[in-house]
Amino acid sequence: MIATVLLAALTLPDDVGAPPPGEVTIMAGFDRRPFVEVRTGLLDWLGLRLEGEVAEAPRVGGELRVAAGDGRGGLAAHTWLRTHLRIGDDDDVISGADLAAGVGVVGHAGGAFLRFDGGLVYGIKIAPLHADELPRAAVDQQGGLFFTQELTAGYDFGQRLRLDVFLEASVPSNVLVSDPTDEDVVRETDARIGARVGVRF
């Protein structure tokens, strides 16, 4: 009973990037490769994101976002669980995978928003591709434990259209504890800079 009341008081923000149950947002973007995302609400406090790269040996995955604060105001907190698989050159081969969990906060001011997320991601190296278009620093190509942070800024044009830019950086934990040089950190960090456009239906 108490848990039901608490969950009823927690809602994810109702915006283009976090549609409520019954509505869907489709987003297309580019960081290292083009990608597509589909977002929807499963419950008022539980959101689902499915994503996939549009390329050879694509990285596909999903995220569950759970409200950790009241999303009806200008500032809301959330927790998330995320996983990806990278399909190998052969359809029967998985090149790598990752599992991640973290927390985040998002603030809205009019149509503008700023979101910050931080957490841990564990990369599982299965059959590295060594492809030219894939950086060696990719989490699923290195394997091991990483600290990850992401900053996203954008603007919602009403309740139907969103534009955003993002920066995500995942730093291997073993680099941070080995007294690294700046060059070591840059070389081993899996960094993504990109932009997205989304339409809510």
Side-chain angles (χ1 to χ4, degrees), residues 35-181:
F35 64 86
V36 176
E37 297 180 358
V38 177
R39 302 182 182 190
T40 190
L42 301 178
L43 300 165
D44 287 341
W45 50 271
L46 182 65
L48 173 67
R49 180 179 75 170
L50 301 175
E51 59 182 311
E53 293 176 341
V54 184
E56 293 185 9
R59 180 173 175 256
V60 298
E63 174 187 281
L64 285 174
R65 185 158 55 133
V66 182
D70 191 338
R72 289 182 287 261
L75 188 67
H78 54 265
T79 60
W80 47 264
L81 299 172
R82 184 184 302 158
T83 186
H84 297 96
L85 292 175
R86 190 180 300 279
I87 309 302
D89 295 324
D90 186 328
D91 290 341
D92 296 328
V93 175
I94 301 298
S95 170
D98 63 65
L99 300 169
V103 297
V105 63
V106 57
H108 292 84
F113 72 91
L114 185 67
R115 174 178 165 179
F116 177 78
D117 293 281
L120 295 173
V121 55
Y122 186 75
I124 303 168
K125 180 171 62 174
I126 299 172
L129 294 174
H130 304 297
D132 292 338
E133 68 273 16
L134 285 178
R136 187 184 63 82
V139 168
D140 61 276
Q141 301 296 290
Q142 288 192 74
L145 184 65
F146 291 71
F147 298 99
T148 186
Q149 296 183 352
E150 181 176 352
L151 183 65
T152 305
Y155 196 88
D156 287 343
F157 298 88
Q159 288 292 308
R160 296 300 167 193
L161 180 65
R162 161 173 289 192
L163 295 173
D164 70 40
V165 294
F166 60 91
L167 169 62
E168 180 181 357
S170 299
V171 184
S173 58
N174 62 340
V175 170
L176 295 180
V177 299
S178 61
D179 194 22
T181 66

Side-chain angles (χ1 to χ4, degrees), residues 10-23:
L10 302 178
T11 59
L12 287 165
D14 179 3
D15 57 38
V16 179
E23 296 199 24

